[in-house]
Amino acid sequence: MHSTLLDELNQNGFVVIEDFLTPSEIDELYLAGRALCLDAPQENRKVFSTVNQKDAHSKETYFLDSGDKIRFFFEEGAFGENGELLVDPMMALNKVGHYLHVQHPIFNKLTFSNRVKEICWQLNFKKPAVCQSMYIYKNPGIGGEVISHQDSWFLHTEPNSVIGFWFALEDCTIQNGCLEVIKGSHKSGIHRLYKRNPDKEANELLIYDRPAPIYPQSSYTPLLVGKGTCIIIHGNVVHKSEQNRSQKSRHAYTFHVIETENNVKYSKDNWLQPTKDKPFPLLFERKN
């Protein structure tokens, strides 16, 4: 019996689709990512880290308000003690997010392409919307670790519906911090939530509702994929990536899709909230 995309996602929590992008698309996306480096701010630069949770983005509105803007987040290791840049500006960014899929023509073209719509159709989405997008640099040497997590910690719907699309724009190896997943972990529910702090007086704008779970390293499968590969990631599958210890970068483009049909509720506690005039853009609406 022919296994469908949905069967595979339900079984493993992820699907690897090789050669999803053509060589010219890879080049176009990669060059667009490089060009974004030149647009990065020269002062008041914000650091992004998943390891150091006392960092800027739990306290700052720059992150919280980035859902409908293109904003720039630097690597922790990019700066000296006095805020001076220690690395080439082309190597300093951790990521750019979270509205590339709308505001940037090259990322918009891929995100709303027929191939992406077809995958969401096969995954039985009724009214899928793209809620956020990111260009991830994973630069040589300073490309930071992304701690073990489930995407639904950050983008929670009831019932869960979040799916990640992750595109490798360079070959992914153990050395340069490939994605690593725990196969089947999406069947174990959601382990914690990252949410807006109900305490309006508190310093932290965003908080976790539970401590971080511990996942044994032996549970992970590294996804050693070539550039052009698309990885579909179930919202509840546990995944991570180690620091880039190589001399090669590991650029990727990623975005997240949620179901917006009436019986699916997007949590008001999520860090990312659509604005009245900018609802999450739909990929399609399935007519009965």
Side-chain angles (χ1 to χ4, degrees), residues 86-142:
L86 298 178
V87 295
D88 180 325
M90 297 302 281
M91 295 284 187
L93 287 173
N94 172 293
K95 69 175 191 178
V96 177
H98 291 95
Y99 210 48
L100 291 165
H101 58 290
V102 174
Q103 287 190 335
H104 195 294
I106 287 168
F107 298 108
N108 173 274
K109 185 168 68 172
L110 171 61
T111 308
F112 293 91
S113 65
N114 287 335
R115 278 170 294 165
V116 166
K117 291 175 184 175
E118 176 61 32
I119 285 175
C120 291
W121 186 272
Q122 287 183 33
L123 294 177
N124 284 344
F125 277 93
K126 306 283 188 290
K127 199 174 158 188
V130 181
C131 49
Q132 66 149 11
S133 54
M134 294 180 284
Y135 192 95
I136 299 166
Y137 290 90
K138 206 75 170 184
N139 283 309
I142 67 165

Side-chain angles (χ1 to χ4, degrees), residues 16-265:
V16 174
I17 307 170
E18 293 178 347
D19 300 318
F20 187 91
L21 301 174
T22 65
S24 62
E25 285 174 320
I26 297 166
D27 290 346
E28 189 178 41
L29 292 157
Y30 177 82
L31 290 171
R34 298 275 292 170
L36 285 169
C37 297
L38 304 174
D39 298 334
Q42 298 306 303
E43 60 272 330
N44 199 15
R45 296 178 281 213
K46 306 300 180 190
V47 163
F48 183 85
S49 161
T50 67
V51 180
N52 183 4
Q53 285 300 342
K54 297 190 292 297
D55 65 352
H57 62 281
S58 67
K59 299 186 178 69
E60 295 220 18
T61 54
Y62 184 83
F63 176 82
L64 210 55
D65 298 342
S66 63
D68 60 354
K69 299 170 189 72
I70 294 178
R71 290 199 158 165
F72 300 83
F73 302 92
F74 288 82
E75 287 290 1
E76 271 189 305
F79 301 113
E81 283 174 21
N82 303 317
E84 74 280 14
L85 205 54
L86 298 178
V87 295
D88 180 325
M90 297 302 281
M91 295 284 187
L93 287 173
N94 172 293
K95 69 175 191 178
V96 177
H98 291 95
Y99 210 48
L100 291 165
H101 58 290
V102 174
Q103 287 190 335
H104 195 294
I106 287 168
F107 298 108
N108 173 274
K109 185 168 68 172
L110 171 61
T111 308
F112 293 91
S113 65
N114 287 335
R115 278 170 294 165
V116 166
K117 291 175 184 175
E118 176 61 32
I119 285 175
C120 291
W121 186 272
Q122 287 183 33
L123 294 177
N124 284 344
F125 277 93
K126 306 283 188 290
K127 199 174 158 188
V130 181
C131 49
Q132 66 149 11
S133 54
M134 294 180 284
Y135 192 95
I136 299 166
Y137 290 90
K138 206 75 170 184
N139 283 309
I142 67 165
E145 168 191 2
V146 175
I147 60 165
S148 302
H149 66 283
Q150 299 167 298
D151 289 341
S152 46
W153 293 2
F154 310 101
L155 299 166
H156 185 55
T157 66
E158 200 59 60
N160 176 64
S161 68
V162 66
I163 295 289
F165 281 77
W166 194 95
F167 301 91
L169 302 179
E170 296 184 282
D171 295 342
C172 303
T173 65
I174 293 283
Q175 291 74 28
N176 72 7
C178 66
L179 281 185
E180 299 183 44
V181 295
I182 301 183
K183 215 179 226 182
S185 54
H186 62 298
K187 297 173 183 172
S188 62
I190 297 175
H191 305 158
R192 74 200 294 218
L193 295 173
Y194 189 56
K195 51 210 288 191
R196 289 177 176 240
N197 193 345
D199 180 359
K200 297 288 177 263
E201 304 300 308
N203 191 16
E204 306 282 323
L205 298 174
L206 297 163
I207 52 168
Y208 283 108
D209 66 346
R210 278 163 280 180
I214 306 296
Y215 305 107
Q217 176 56 36
S218 57
S219 306
Y220 285 91
T221 302
L223 301 183
L224 307 173
V225 300
K227 61 183 178 183
T229 301
C230 172
I231 303 174
I232 311 292
I233 304 170
H234 189 288
N236 286 3
V237 86
V238 176
H239 60 289
K240 66 169 183 171
S241 68
E242 295 294 340
Q243 190 181 351
N244 184 350
R245 304 187 193 285
S246 77
Q247 298 306 303
K248 290 197 167 77
S249 55
R250 194 224 66 191
H251 287 209
Y253 172 61
T254 180
F255 60 84
H256 289 90
V257 173
I258 54 165
E259 181 62 270
T260 63
E261 201 204 15
N262 295 340
N263 62 352
V264 178
K265 298 282 172 273

